Amino acid sequence: MRSLAQRPCGRVSTARRGRVAITVRAQASSANGSKWPLDVVVVGAGIGGLVTASALLEAGARVRVYEARSLEQALDGPGGILVQANGEKVMRLLDSPWPTPSSSSSSFSASSLSDAVYAVGGPVMSGGFRSDRGDYLYYAAVDSTGLKDLRSNGLGISRRSLQNILHAALPAGTVTFGAPLKAFTAPPAGQAGAVKVEFEDGTVESCDILIGSDGVRSKVRAQVLREAAGEAAPEKLRYSGTVCWRGRVPMSRVGKGAEWLSQQVNGDTWAEYWGAGLRFGFFQVGSEVARDASAPGGLRQEGEPQIAWYAFANRPEDWSPEPGADEVARMAGMFKDFAAPVPQVIAALDPASVSYGRIYDQLPRPAPWAAGRVTLLGDAAHAMMPTLGQGGCMAIEDGLELANELMAAAGGLEGPQADAVAAAGLEAALRRYEASRAPRTGRVADQSYQVAELAMADKPVSVWLRNTIYRLTPKWAGDKQFEYLYTDYVPAWKEGVRQGRQFGAGAAAAPAQQKVGAA
Ligand SMILES: Cc1cc2nc3c(=O)[nH]c(=O)nc-3n(C[C@H](O)[C@H](O)[C@H](O)COP(=O)(O)OP(=O)(O)OC[C@H]3O[C@@H](n4cnc5c(N)ncnc54)[C@H](O)[C@@H]3O)c2cc1C
């Protein structure tokens, strides 16, 4: 693995017709050598790991991200994701110091993270939970978030596009792919020294801080729990009782095409249908970006507007499809009595594009989530049911808040590898981050679980009761139960992160120009 000293620094901004070009921040330079730039290892290059790397770089830290999967696998993903108003606000903060778009002649241009995701994705405007007959059980419009600005309302984007954009926003070489973490060794609480991170290939890296953003089956979390319990700790995953199929399909292929599809859902940009132990949903995700080493920014926009779709069914944990089963035919059978356009979406699917898996979450854990100079983030800390479309948004919020706490603690200290005071200060910052995040992520996880229970009700009487209660609930009361998601969280950089670059004088060094392409 390359050492940090060899890693390039850079800033680039370009815009071309039909091409995605986004500005890339510099890695903190260690040109000075004698100063201490906080040195962070992030394990896992999912949404959480990539956004956290962006936030930490913005704050002036050195960041290395290690991802178990190959670049091709990690920068892909099934279906799409809603980056809702709360996650979108963080993205805008992360790119606010970047230049604004300058191209007026191009049909597509982006010079920042949130511009890129908006240029590619589809805005979330209106939608709702519906019965399997198609009538609304709960309807949400732009103002249901309590935010009036359409752009603030969030967007739907393909996972592949989001992963590619988040990755392209980092300096080349920040992420090492094909590097599964094996274990770590951290100094005892309050003591100086390096955190050692060992990978499956035997490589060992040192850092000041280790962030486990390695998903629902986190190895970092497993080791933290094991060490806290002093014995082999069981994985605290909870099987939801549901299996999920998902993917993407061009809108033009569904039924009689995009206009027909839009008419079927009253012009909504998302729709979710609840039956008895069955649920089907979809939302607009716009077109795609793919990696292209010859394109400015290393990304190219391609294809026509798509929808991301998902289907849930109640199944026992030991359920698995027979080998070679046609999952499209299976879903067509399961959802044949659902209102249009559900059967038509399923009929349009390419079986090769369908992914499926069992859904697990964790019982929300109070803080602290970890110990010493190690912490957890995203699904590693708080895997939740996908019902509210908030797991990724929580990981995005985590990233900014973690960078904020570390930045605030790091200013003016010597490096923790040599200095116990600095080590204790950073540990306290990690525990503050965990304490600030646990109540909110726990509330969202609890609500996601409760809504999932309702959505997946399968007894006729409970389905009738659910639908009746939803239909009778006034819209304002429905909005109220979700409003906290968008209004309770006000992300902000803490004092000094922009100008101060408090992790070390080296971080303030003028960045060199560097064009970033595909890794
Ligand atoms: C069906 C479904 C729909 C969803 N819809 C939404 C939505 O609309 N909006 C939303 O906000 N959220 C949604 N979510 C939740 C969201 O996908 C997750 O919360 C989010 O992906 C978590 O991001 P993460 O970075 O924490 O973890 P992950 O995305 O799981 O990333 C973890 C990364 O760590 C890597 N890794 C694992 N082990 C190791 C190791 N030992 N060493 C190195 N790397 C490792 C993995 O390969 C992976 O790349 C949905 C989830 C599901 C299942």
Side-chain angles (χ1 to χ4, degrees), residues 42-50 66-70 73-74 78 80-84 155 159 163 176 178-182 199-200 212-220 244-246 279 283 309-312 358-360 377-396 398:
V42 177
V43 177
I47 298 160
L50 293 176
Y66 293 95
E67 164 59 44
R69 294 182 293 168
S70 68
Q73 290 171 325
I81 185 160
L82 293 166
V83 179
Q84 299 191 54
L155 74 146
R159 283 185 188 260
Q163 283 293 102
T176 302
L181 168 118
K182 186 175 178 194
F199 297 90
E200 292 288 355
S213 59
D214 47 344
V216 61
R217 297 187 184 280
S218 166
K219 266 203 168 167
V220 179
C244 172
W245 294 258
R246 51 186 164 153
R279 191 162 121 229
F283 53 91
W309 61 270
Y310 50 91
F312 287 84
R358 299 174 193 82
I359 301 292
Y360 292 83
L377 182 143
D379 278 9
H382 45 65
M384 57 186 69
M385 295 293 291
T387 339
L388 301 184
Q390 278 288 342
C393 296
M394 289 299 118
I396 292 170
D398 286 351

Side-chain angles (χ1 to χ4, degrees), residues 426-467:
L426 291 171
E427 285 169 19
L430 295 181
R431 302 296 85 82
R432 278 197 302 277
Y433 147 76
E434 293 161 358
S436 76
R437 296 299 299 155
R440 177 163 166 83
T441 56
R443 181 177 179 186
V444 180
D446 282 341
Q447 195 181 29
S448 298
Y449 189 84
Q450 288 153 11
V451 178
E453 292 277 276
L454 289 171
M456 298 307 292
D458 54 7
K459 308 237 171 352
V461 63
S462 32
V463 170
W464 178 84
L465 201 60
R466 172 196 75 194
N467 290 359

Side-chain angles (χ1 to χ4, degrees), residues 92-117:
R92 281 210 239 174
L93 265 184
L94 291 184
D95 64 12
S96 56
W98 296 3
T100 50
S102 56
S103 169
S104 56
S105 61
S106 61
S107 59
F108 174 81
S109 69
S111 60
S112 69
L113 191 61
S114 70
D115 277 329
V117 292

